[in-house]
Amino acid sequence: MFRRIITLGLAAMAAGLSWAQQPVEGLAYYLPQTTVKVRLLVEHTTFQPGRLAVYGQQFLRQPCGMERQDSYRICGATMYAEALPDTARRYEVNLDRKKSIFTIDCDENGVLMAVNDKGAKASLPAHFKPARQAQPLNPDNFMTADMLAAGSNSKLAELVAQEIFDIRDARNQISRGESDQMPKDGEQLRLMLNGLDQQETALLQLFRGTTTTDTTETEVAFIPKKDTPKLIAFRFSKRLGMLDADDLGGSPYYINVEQLNDVAMPELPPSDKKKEEPALFIAVPAKIRVSLGLPAQQPICTKELYAAQFGDVYGLSTELFSKKQITHLRLNPVTGVVEHLEVEPVK
């Protein structure tokens, strides 16, 4: 996220060049509107049938799946907040020489972050990084010459099944110490057994097929509002995965917003001039609880946070920015609440 620092003198010069013959009243800024984002981890499992699956019952005495299947599930959710400009809360800092306001710092969208100071970017959770997946075994690499020369799938299935039984028999003989080629030590025993397991797994894939799993990250964003405490964020299907909110092919996942009436009032020095026009305005956010989940079930994700649009607007007195002092003010980049206030007397 980029930030911009607006200097009053430079802004006035730029405004004068852009809007010739028009008076400059001040610098515009927005108060934040808190938006909530949910990062979902969706696991996609794919079953691919083996090319000899139809012979599984005949040669292995076990049924094998013969149709491709895809399934999805939500395996993780992380909720966090960001800020967007609240177009209903747009204000201006008047260019008044009586006030010691030299710079205001806004984000790239014009949301106020600091006065006479530099604002800080909001910290975001790290993106999901999928682990490197192991390459599946290729059954062709474990076939004998007779298997490769088989003239039909039926003959191939018979030879592969016999090889699987031979591998199992060899493993049993080694385990009982009855093999003609017993390993010399424990390490050689481990390598021999691992090799036999790998051969059996690869050849069984021709009958049982393969199952692969892939996990991806999907982000859903919404703006909590008082008049819509409950809404459908998205729909989800075990067969189709993530769907739009209006797609009836999946179950609806609801966003529930509950206001907790905990207001983050700023700690500022009192003012004697109650009727005077404020120097600038800041947001006073209120605390809310946001949850995401299926109806009548435990939510998959819940978070308590402060949201600017659920609170109020607070006017800062001109006394705070008098010529006798320089006030450094830093605001939370997401909620707009005061995070740092330092008053520096002018000598």
Side-chain angles (χ1 to χ4, degrees):
M1 183 182 296
F2 298 99
R3 295 176 299 164
R4 56 186 180 131
I5 299 177
I6 305 176
T7 305
L8 298 186
L10 294 178
M13 182 184 302
L17 293 174
S18 302
W19 303 94
Q21 308 302 324
Q22 296 186 18
V24 178
E25 296 182 358
L27 298 176
Y29 64 91
Y30 295 94
L31 296 186
Q33 181 175 228
T34 305
T35 178
V36 176
K37 294 187 175 182
V38 182
R39 289 180 181 173
L40 299 165
L41 295 182
V42 179
E43 184 182 83
H44 177 201
T45 301
T46 302
F47 169 74
Q48 190 70 36
R51 64 177 185 262
L52 303 179
V54 69
Y55 302 101
Q57 183 66 44
Q58 179 180 355
F59 293 107
L60 294 182
R61 300 294 186 268
Q62 56 184 247
C64 299
M66 288 180 283
E67 293 183 1
R68 175 191 168 101
Q69 294 181 355
D70 291 275
S71 62
Y72 298 83
R73 74 179 184 95
I74 298 175
C75 57
T78 303
M79 189 178 296
Y80 68 100
E82 283 189 344
L84 291 175
D86 191 341
T87 55
R89 294 178 176 179
R90 179 185 180 277
Y91 301 97
E92 289 187 352
V93 176
N94 293 326
L95 302 181
D96 189 349
R97 294 183 178 180
K98 297 180 182 181
K99 295 192 288 288
S100 60
I101 297 180
F102 305 110
T103 63
I104 63 172
D105 187 9
C106 299
D107 67 10
E108 61 179 355
N109 297 316
V111 177
L112 182 65
M113 295 198 302
V115 179
N116 296 331
D117 211 325
K118 291 184 178 182
K121 295 189 298 183
S123 58
L124 303 178
H127 283 281
F128 169 73
K129 293 183 179 180
R132 181 178 298 178
Q133 295 186 356
Q135 292 295 327
L137 298 173
N138 185 357
D140 293 343
N141 296 334
F142 298 89
M143 288 186 180
T144 64
D146 291 338
M147 297 178 194
L148 295 174
S152 66
N153 284 339
S154 176
K155 182 60 176 179
L156 175 62
E158 181 182 358
L159 293 174
V160 171
Q162 185 58 52
E163 182 70 13
I164 291 173
F165 293 134
D166 290 343
I167 292 172
R168 293 175 179 175
D169 185 58
R171 185 193 298 114
N172 291 333
Q173 290 183 12
I174 293 175
S175 301
R176 293 194 294 263
E178 299 174 356
S179 175
D180 295 335
Q181 296 179 345
M182 287 300 296
K184 298 179 180 179
D185 51 34
E187 179 62 19
Q188 190 176 11
L189 173 63
R190 185 185 66 82
L191 292 175
M192 291 180 64
L193 293 177
N194 286 345
L196 293 173
D197 291 341
Q198 191 177 50
Q199 293 177 46
E200 181 181 3
T201 299
L203 294 177
L204 280 173
Q205 290 179 2
L206 293 169
F207 293 98
R208 296 178 178 175
T210 57
T211 300
T212 57
T213 301
D214 184 30
T215 303
T216 58
E217 183 181 78
T218 302
E219 189 169 85
V220 178
F222 65 95
I223 299 176
K225 296 182 179 180
K226 294 182 180 180
D227 55 347
T228 54
K230 186 176 182 180
L231 56 88
I232 298 178
F234 60 91
R235 290 178 183 267
F236 190 84
S237 168
K238 293 182 179 180
R239 293 180 61 252
L240 303 175
M242 293 286 297
L243 301 173
D244 293 334
D246 57 354
D247 191 333
L248 301 182
S251 302
Y253 276 73
Y254 284 90
I255 287 288
N256 292 279
V257 181
E258 177 187 359
Q259 185 167 354
L260 302 179
N261 295 322
D262 186 5
V263 180
M265 287 297 298
E267 296 182 2
L268 300 172
S271 172
D272 296 332
K273 301 179 181 180
K274 299 182 186 253
K275 296 183 179 181
E276 189 176 19
E277 182 72 17
L280 56 85
F281 295 91
I282 62 173
V284 181
K287 200 171 189 180
I288 61 175
R289 180 185 293 117
V290 183
S291 60
L292 170 68
L294 290 166
Q297 293 189 18
Q298 288 293 327
I300 63 172
C301 187
T302 302
K303 188 175 182 63
E304 293 184 3
L305 52 90
Y306 282 94
Q309 61 268 31
F310 282 78
D312 208 342
V313 177
Y314 188 89
L316 297 181
S317 170
T318 55
E319 293 183 57
L320 198 61
F321 301 98
S322 68
K323 283 296 184 179
K324 299 180 182 180
Q325 60 191 21
I326 299 176
T327 299
H328 302 276
L329 185 68
R330 286 201 301 270
L331 308 176
N332 185 286
V334 176
T335 64
V337 70
V338 176
E339 287 190 335
H340 174 78
L341 174 66
E342 180 182 356
V343 178
E344 179 184 350
V346 177
K347 296 181 181 180

